[in-house]
């Protein structure tokens, strides 16, 4: 099964939501339909060019044809970002196909490009 990584910028959390609940919520959304292999929250570093936290999740899709696999990965990431909106304000996102040292970009988007 091909493996994919999604990175989502977290611009903020919704009122009443604990920031520590965002990563488990993202994992739960993906896990409804796909196996989640790994998850990570990269916290913000005010000294870096990327001042907001990022979610990183790795998941698999069933094997078929590459175009179909990539389309499914992109669709599941769009669903993730849409559903995650209930707990967090999402910025840019990117999905990449792996595995290995080199992960190939499949799609990217953000609040204005969807």
């Amino acid at each position: 099964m091909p493996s994919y990584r999604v990175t989502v910028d977290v611009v903020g959390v919704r009122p009443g939501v604990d920031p520590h609940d965002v990563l488990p919520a993202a994992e739960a959304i993906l896990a409804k339909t796909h196996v989640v292999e790994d998850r990570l929250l990269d916290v913000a570093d005010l000294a870096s060019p990327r001042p907001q936290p990022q979610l990183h999740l790795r998941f698999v899709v069933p094997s078929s044809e590459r175009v179909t696999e990539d389309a499914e990965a992109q669709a599941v990431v769009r669903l993730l970002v849409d559903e995650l909106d209930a707990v967090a304000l999402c910025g840019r996102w990117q999905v990449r196909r792996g595995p290995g040292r080199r992960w190939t970009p499949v799609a990217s988007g953000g609040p204005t490009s969807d």
Side-chain angles (χ1 to χ4, degrees), residues 1 8 12 17 26 50 74 81-82 100 103 105-106 110:
M1 285 199 243
V8 180
V17 175
R50 184 195 46 79
Q74 184 175 350
V81 172
D82 286 348
W103 290 76
V106 172

Coordinates of all heavy atoms in Angstrom, one line a residue, residues 1 8 12 17 26 50 74 81-82 100 103 105-106 110:
M1 N 0.8 -1.2 0.0 CA 0.0 0.0 0.0 C 0.9 1.2 0.0 O 1.8 1.3 0.8 CB -0.9 0.0 1.2 CG -2.0 -0.9 1.2 SD -3.3 -0.5 2.3 CE -3.3 -1.9 3.4
V8 N -0.1 20.1 7.5 CA -1.2 21.2 7.6 C -0.7 22.2 8.6 O -0.3 22.0 9.7 CB -2.5 20.6 8.1 CG1 -3.6 21.7 8.2 CG2 -3.0 19.4 7.3
G12 N -4.6 28.6 14.1 CA -5.1 28.8 15.5 C -6.1 27.7 15.8 O -6.4 26.9 15.0
V17 N -11.3 25.2 22.5 CA -10.6 23.9 22.1 C -9.2 24.0 22.7 O -8.5 25.0 22.6 CB -10.5 23.8 20.6 CG1 -9.6 22.6 20.2 CG2 -11.9 23.6 20.0
A26 N -7.2 15.3 14.4 CA -6.8 15.1 13.0 C -6.6 13.6 12.8 O -7.0 13.1 11.7 CB -5.5 15.9 12.7
R50 N 8.6 30.0 9.7 CA 7.3 29.4 9.8 C 6.9 29.5 11.2 O 7.1 28.6 12.0 CB 7.4 27.9 9.3 CG 6.0 27.3 9.3 CD 6.1 25.8 9.3 NE 7.0 25.2 10.2 CZ 6.8 24.9 11.5 NH1 5.7 25.3 12.1 NH2 7.8 24.4 12.2
Q74 N -5.4 12.8 -2.1 CA -5.8 14.2 -2.1 C -7.2 14.4 -1.6 O -7.4 15.4 -0.8 CB -5.7 14.8 -3.5 CG -6.0 16.2 -3.6 CD -5.8 16.8 -5.0 OE1 -5.2 16.1 -5.9 NE2 -6.2 18.0 -5.2
V81 N -8.9 18.5 6.2 CA -8.9 19.9 6.4 C -10.3 20.5 6.6 O -10.5 21.3 7.5 CB -8.2 20.6 5.3 CG1 -8.3 22.1 5.4 CG2 -6.7 20.2 5.2
D82 N -11.3 20.0 5.9 CA -12.6 20.5 6.0 C -13.2 20.1 7.4 O -13.8 20.9 8.1 CB -13.6 19.9 5.0 CG -13.4 20.5 3.6 OD1 -12.7 21.5 3.5 OD2 -13.9 19.9 2.6
G100 N 10.2 6.5 1.6 CA 11.6 6.6 1.3 C 12.2 7.9 1.7 O 11.5 8.7 2.4
W103 N 10.0 12.2 -0.7 CA 8.6 12.2 -0.8 C 8.2 13.1 -1.9 O 8.5 14.3 -1.9 CB 8.0 12.6 0.6 CG 8.2 11.6 1.6 CD1 9.3 11.3 2.3 CD2 7.2 10.6 2.1 NE1 9.2 10.3 3.2 CE2 7.9 9.8 3.1 CE3 5.9 10.4 1.8 CZ2 7.2 8.8 3.7 CZ3 5.2 9.4 2.5 CH2 5.9 8.6 3.4
P105 N 5.8 15.5 -4.0 CA 4.5 16.3 -3.9 C 3.4 15.8 -4.8 O 3.6 15.5 -6.0 CB 4.9 17.7 -4.3 CG 6.4 17.7 -4.1 CD 6.9 16.3 -4.4
V106 N 2.2 15.7 -4.2 CA 1.0 15.3 -5.0 C 0.1 16.4 -5.2 O -0.4 16.7 -6.3 CB 0.3 14.1 -4.2 CG1 -1.0 13.8 -4.9 CG2 1.2 12.9 -4.2
G110 N -4.8 25.5 0.4 CA -4.9 26.4 1.5 C -6.3 27.0 1.6 O -7.1 26.7 0.8

